[in-house]
Amino acid sequence: SAVISQKPSRDICQRGTSLTIQCQVDSQVTMMFWYRQQPGQSLTLIATANQGSEATYESGFVIDKFPISRPNLTFSTLTVSNMSPEDSSIYLCSVVIGSRYNEQFFGPGTRLTVL
Amino acid sequence: AQSVAQPEDQVNVAEGNPLTVKCTYSVSGNPYLFWYVQYPNRGLQFLLKYITGDNLVKGSYGFEAEFNKSQTSFHLKKPSALVSDSALYFCAVRDLNSGNTPLVFGKGTRLSVIA
């Protein structure tokens, strides 16, 4: 298994500002992803964080709004830029260790409220 | 493209009765199926997975799921529900023929076990 930590665990932000969320894993991972869970909704994939190259974004998500970094095999950041109340969600880091046949592990999430 | 359907938003069951949470999937290749559980204000926890082999998969907390290829289903079951099983349950799928792709989640089913 993997121990995944996220910082901050929660934040309340003002409209128009940006927040960077950090994800740290205690072991090297094969794959790293960022999901969003809006209130009462399922998990929606934002992007796959690629080490040393640009992230791969899903439809509806763009790099200018959600820039992602992954400098090594155990760490990634997601920035939510120019926030609006619609960005209020839980943001989850998720990883796969080893074979793609393994389960995905999820971080505890970052609960973001935008006023 | 892969997708998951959870047809029930809410399932209510009396404590001690059997429970079923339904899930159907769609993939172009071979499916890799999961169930996750999310307790209030907590992260996503892995329950069980199916890759290949026996169609009946046993997981954590007494849960099991049955893979049915002809019906493209992977329903979650438990013989005797507990009040503590009340939570949000997510079915997820990965297409094994699609390389290192992340899980795609259903919309979730809220299980309420009544004492």
Side-chain angles (χ1 to χ4, degrees):
Chain A
S1 65
V3 176
I4 307 170
S5 59
Q6 286 186 230
K7 291 181 183 180
S9 59
R10 60 177 61 225
D11 207 342
I12 300 173
C13 300
Q14 295 297 320
R15 180 196 299 261
T17 63
S18 298
L19 176 71
T20 295
I21 302 168
Q22 298 180 0
C23 176
Q24 179 73 56
V25 191
D26 68 343
S27 54
Q28 294 185 348
V29 301
T30 309
M31 298 184 281
M32 207 166 205
F33 309 104
W34 286 98
Y35 285 82
R36 180 174 74 182
Q37 186 178 20
Q38 294 177 299
Q41 303 293 318
S42 184
L43 282 77
T44 301
L45 181 67
I46 297 172
T48 300
N50 301 309
Q51 188 207 355
S53 64
E54 191 171 290
T56 305
Y57 289 85
E58 298 300 304
S59 176
F61 297 96
V62 295
I63 188 171
D64 290 345
K65 175 67 176 178
F66 297 101
I68 288 171
S69 77
R70 188 181 171 190
N72 56 51
L73 292 175
T74 64
F75 183 79
S76 177
T77 66
L78 167 73
T79 299
V80 186
S81 303
N82 189 24
M83 288 184 284
S84 66
E86 292 72 33
D87 294 320
S88 298
S89 293
I90 298 173
Y91 292 86
L92 296 129
C93 174
S94 179
V95 304
V96 174
I97 298 175
S99 165
R100 60 193 170 96
Y101 300 103
N102 295 339
E103 61 264 30
Q104 274 182 230
F105 298 96
F106 286 82
T110 296
R111 185 179 294 272
L112 171 63
T113 302
V114 184
L115 302 177
Chain B
Q2 52 208 22
S3 65
V4 174
Q6 292 181 245
E8 303 153 317
D9 291 336
Q10 173 96 28
V11 170
N12 298 318
V13 63
E15 187 175 31
N17 283 2
L19 70 87
T20 299
V21 183
K22 296 179 180 177
C23 170
T24 58
Y25 66 90
S26 175
V27 295
S28 57
N30 293 316
Y32 183 29
L33 294 154
F34 297 84
W35 277 99
Y36 284 83
V37 60
Q38 187 175 42
Y39 297 101
N41 298 315
R42 293 176 64 179
L44 218 58
Q45 295 180 32
F46 167 77
L47 273 180
L48 51 80
K49 66 182 178 184
Y50 170 83
I51 305 174
T52 186
D54 289 341
N55 289 340
L56 186 63
V57 178
K58 294 187 183 298
S60 307
Y61 313 119
F63 283 93
E64 57 189 30
E66 186 169 11
F67 171 65
N68 188 317
K69 187 173 184 178
S70 62
Q71 297 184 5
T72 62
S73 68
F74 190 58
H75 302 329
L76 181 70
K77 300 180 180 183
K78 187 173 182 180
S80 178
L82 301 173
V83 172
S84 58
D85 292 330
S86 298
L88 189 57
Y89 290 81
F90 291 100
C91 183
V93 68
R94 176 185 298 141
D95 186 339
L96 290 179
N97 295 350
S98 297
N100 291 333
T101 55
L103 290 176
V104 172
F105 284 83
K107 64 179 181 178
T109 298
R110 188 166 298 279
L111 173 67
S112 179
V113 181
I114 305 161

